[in-house]
Amino acid sequence: MSEFNIGTIVPFGGYDWRILDIQGNAALIITENIIEQQSYTNRSGDVTWADCWLREYLNGEFYNKFTEAEQSRINLVLTKNYDNQWYGSKGGEDTKDYIFLLSIEEVVCKYFGDSSKILENRSAKQKYWFGSKDKNNNKRRATLDGYVWWWWLRSPGRDNKRAAYIHGDGNIGIQGNGTFRYNSKNVLPSSGDNRGGVRPALWLNMEL
């Protein structure tokens, strides 16, 4: 199917999605833009992707917005959840998901250019940011309502009360933002909300 190529924008379920990868008859897609703001979880304390509220929401309420025909094309996949490579905070159990967020490793090594050398040669200076001079930062930038905004990854931050994210400039916040109540006065102008953006990802069966 000629319309399915890496980098192509495809409509599905009322959203525009960018194809990040193709394996056999399935394409990994992520929403081209941030589609909403959400907290990573709805309670205080330690949390991982396996037991966070955002995973429950994406695989429940959000997934159920798709029609039965659309749901039949979304593959259930094994999601690998790695520990934070700078701080050692736990990634938690691997999960099976229809809808998920990308990980640090995926946005660094695979789908937005290859910055794996920075990951393989970690520096003591990387306390907060992955790399301000990373040539691939611009590829990770995203907007919501026309405003550049930050968006969640599923990986843990410096502890399990934080999750990693992509800053508005495309740099990766390896120390993470608070998963429950993010303490920041910086808000999205269109919503007055400081919560992180959500860019869902899924594996789509390309056989109609």
Side-chain angles (χ1 to χ4, degrees):
M1 301 179 67
S2 59
E3 70 268 26
F4 288 105
N5 296 294
I6 293 175
T8 299
I9 306 300
V10 295
F12 179 71
Y15 300 99
D16 287 333
W17 305 73
R18 178 178 293 273
I19 296 178
L20 299 179
D21 193 12
I22 295 175
Q23 298 290 334
N25 64 351
L28 174 62
I29 59 176
I30 187 173
T31 54
E32 176 66 1
N33 299 304
I34 298 166
I35 61 170
E36 60 184 305
Q37 291 173 275
Q38 295 287 358
S39 296
Y40 190 87
T41 197
N42 59 357
R43 61 176 175 81
S44 60
D46 290 353
V47 69
T48 64
W49 170 249
D51 55 8
C52 77
W53 175 85
L54 190 49
R55 175 175 177 253
E56 178 183 346
Y57 165 75
L58 289 174
N59 287 277
E61 182 179 338
F62 182 78
Y63 174 77
N64 290 330
K65 292 179 182 179
F66 294 99
T67 66
E68 287 188 9
E70 289 166 344
Q71 288 178 3
S72 71
R73 297 181 61 196
I74 301 174
N75 293 343
L76 182 67
V77 297
L78 178 66
T79 306
K80 303 290 288 185
N81 297 307
Y82 300 103
D83 297 348
N84 185 297
Q85 296 193 43
W86 290 266
Y87 295 98
S89 47
K90 298 301 181 182
E93 297 178 359
D94 294 339
T95 54
K96 290 185 177 180
D97 300 303
Y98 289 105
I99 317 284
F100 52 93
L101 304 179
L102 297 182
S103 67
I104 290 177
E105 290 76 15
E106 289 165 342
V107 298
V108 165
C109 303
K110 294 184 177 182
Y111 305 131
F112 297 89
D114 185 359
S115 300
S116 57
K117 287 185 178 180
I118 302 176
L119 183 64
E120 294 165 359
N121 298 281
R122 295 185 296 280
S123 166
K125 295 180 180 179
Q126 291 175 296
K127 293 182 178 180
Y128 302 103
W129 303 106
F130 178 75
S132 60
K133 296 181 180 180
D134 181 7
K135 64 182 180 180
N136 292 310
N137 281 346
N138 192 56
K139 298 175 184 177
R140 306 184 193 105
R141 296 173 75 247
T143 61
L144 175 58
D145 299 333
Y147 296 98
V148 173
W149 195 244
W150 65 278
W151 49 284
W152 290 113
L153 301 177
R154 70 176 186 268
S155 304
R158 72 184 186 200
D159 56 41
N160 285 104
K161 295 179 177 65
R162 299 169 182 264
Y165 65 98
I166 304 296
H167 189 264
D169 64 3
N171 200 350
I172 303 166
I174 58 175
Q175 90 291 352
N177 280 338
T179 54
F180 178 44
R181 290 177 179 170
Y182 173 50
N183 186 20
S184 173
K185 294 181 180 179
N186 186 27
V187 299
L188 186 74
S190 60
S191 67
D193 193 335
N194 70 356
R195 292 179 299 172
V198 181
R199 292 183 74 185
L202 59 89
W203 281 94
L204 180 70
N205 190 326
M206 295 185 290
E207 294 183 347
L208 300 176

